[in-house]
Amino acid sequence: MTPSRTTVEIATQPEVWREAVRTLPRHADALPRRGERVAVIGCGTSWFMAQAYADLREAGGHGETDAFAASRFPFDRRYDRVVALTRSGTTSEVLAVLARLSGTVATGAVTADPTTPVKESADALAVLDFADEESVVQTRFATTALALLRAHLEAEGALPEGVATVARAAEDAELALVRPLEQTVREAEQFTFLGTGWTYGLAQEAGLKMREAAGAWTEAYPAMEYRHGPISITGPGRVAWSFGPLPDGLAEEIRAVGGTLVAGGLDPLAELVLAQRLAVAVAEARGLDPDRPRNLTRSVVLADTGV
């Protein structure tokens, strides 16, 4: 069976993350300076990557950082820089925010295509064309954008304690590409993804991948919130997947009610690669084509954004 386009792109992630590290010096103009008050915007997957980066940057002491869905950007707040994450460079809500901010605040964009309208909308671009995708469902561009931002914090001496280098994450991603997906996980009826700090954004993205590619019932929560209601749906045939260590006692509670716990111990970004593989596997098992997800297009272009 010929692998899906999405599968092929997932498999390239370790190398494109390494390429992001190699190209970091050329992207300085688009990235935050130490001490700046920064907002990061995106839509869908890019918003979740923005959330992960915002947590990383603040925890590492690089500067106050907020993350917003572009449609929810608070124009009454003051920032030193606004950074947009946009694979296509054509997403309407992102372009509307950049246009409205033009001339009032420094703006940068991380994109895969420098020939699109974002070129005229942002002051500076970080172009990751080597991570561009044909797939509708984002995988490698999103993780490579976060790898670039994470590598920038690493270069600035601002990685939070306990967060590994991108080089180490790429090594773990190679393991994620070959690690077997357990049958109980592949056949589960429901999936809850959990994260702490910066990995909550990754948990949300894992849930989105499962919904987009496989139409699966998924949820995502900060790990400490899981006890406050969501654990009530846990049971046989249902999975709780942790991105990073779980709070004390939570693993035992999940197992006690019959849930399947996934806590692989890989770098959280590599864990996301494993979740991407699961999304494809579940889609194919359900007779769906992960390259042609229902009701989705590669970029959302609107006549009126309302921003």
Side-chain angles (χ1 to χ4, degrees):
M1 178 179 175
T2 302
S4 67
R5 181 190 312 119
T6 307
T7 296
V8 171
E9 290 172 349
I10 287 171
T12 66
Q13 288 175 105
E15 184 49 40
V16 294
W17 297 355
R18 295 181 179 111
E19 181 65 14
V21 175
R22 288 191 287 267
T23 63
L24 177 62
R26 74 179 69 153
H27 303 311
D29 289 348
L31 301 180
R33 280 60 163 168
R34 182 182 288 275
E36 287 183 332
R37 188 166 189 255
V38 172
V40 191
I41 62 171
C43 297
T45 289
S46 293
W47 177 35
F48 297 145
M49 296 299 103
Q51 289 179 24
Y53 171 63
D55 268 301
L56 277 173
R57 184 171 185 262
E58 280 210 7
H62 201 257
E64 185 177 352
T65 318
D66 294 325
F68 300 103
S71 60
R72 299 285 295 167
F73 186 79
F75 289 97
D76 57 341
R77 293 191 189 180
R78 298 296 93 194
Y79 292 98
D80 299 311
R81 185 177 306 274
V82 174
V83 177
L85 306 183
T86 170
R87 175 178 67 170
S88 68
T90 61
T91 305
S92 295
E93 300 98 304
V94 170
L95 296 177
V97 171
L98 292 175
R100 187 166 166 182
L101 293 175
S102 180
T104 67
V105 62
T107 59
V110 181
T111 186
D113 189 347
T115 68
T116 55
V118 74
K119 179 180 181 180
E120 306 303 326
S121 301
D123 297 332
L125 297 183
V127 178
L128 307 180
D129 49 0
F130 53 86
D132 201 359
E133 300 160 311
E134 296 180 23
S135 296
V136 172
V137 174
Q138 281 202 58
T139 56
R140 73 178 179 191
F141 174 77
T143 61
T144 304
L146 184 55
L148 176 76
L149 294 166
R150 182 170 161 180
H152 181 243
L153 294 178
E154 181 184 338
E156 296 266 304
L159 268 186
E161 183 178 355
V163 178
T165 65
V166 175
R168 175 58 187 273
E171 292 174 359
D172 277 6
E174 290 175 336
L175 298 177
L177 290 171
V178 297
R179 178 170 290 183
L181 296 167
E182 298 296 334
Q183 184 175 354
T184 54
V185 176
R186 288 187 284 108
E187 296 179 353
E189 66 169 349
Q190 188 275 338
F191 304 84
T192 300
F193 297 96
L194 305 174
T196 301
W198 74 282
T199 70
Y200 173 50
L202 303 185
Q204 292 194 85
E205 170 59 8
L208 180 62
K209 285 291 88 65
M210 294 290 292
R211 291 191 293 274
E212 289 177 329
W217 172 17
T218 67
E219 302 181 22
Y221 299 95
M224 287 296 290
E225 290 298 309
Y226 188 52
R227 292 183 173 100
H228 296 273
I231 196 170
S232 64
I233 64 169
T234 302
R238 298 177 179 180
V239 168
W241 187 318
S242 175
F243 286 77
L246 281 170
D248 289 345
L250 188 53
E252 291 76 15
E253 292 182 40
I254 291 168
R255 296 188 181 105
V257 296
T260 298
L261 175 63
V262 178
L266 298 174
D267 184 276
L269 197 56
E271 287 280 344
L272 181 56
V273 174
L274 196 59
Q276 293 168 349
R277 288 182 54 218
L278 177 65
V280 171
V282 172
E284 292 174 344
R286 295 180 177 184
L288 302 174
D289 183 350
D291 291 341
R292 295 174 177 82
R294 294 177 56 196
N295 308 325
L296 295 179
T297 57
R298 191 173 182 277
S299 175
V300 177
V301 179
L302 305 173
D304 181 6
T305 65
V307 173

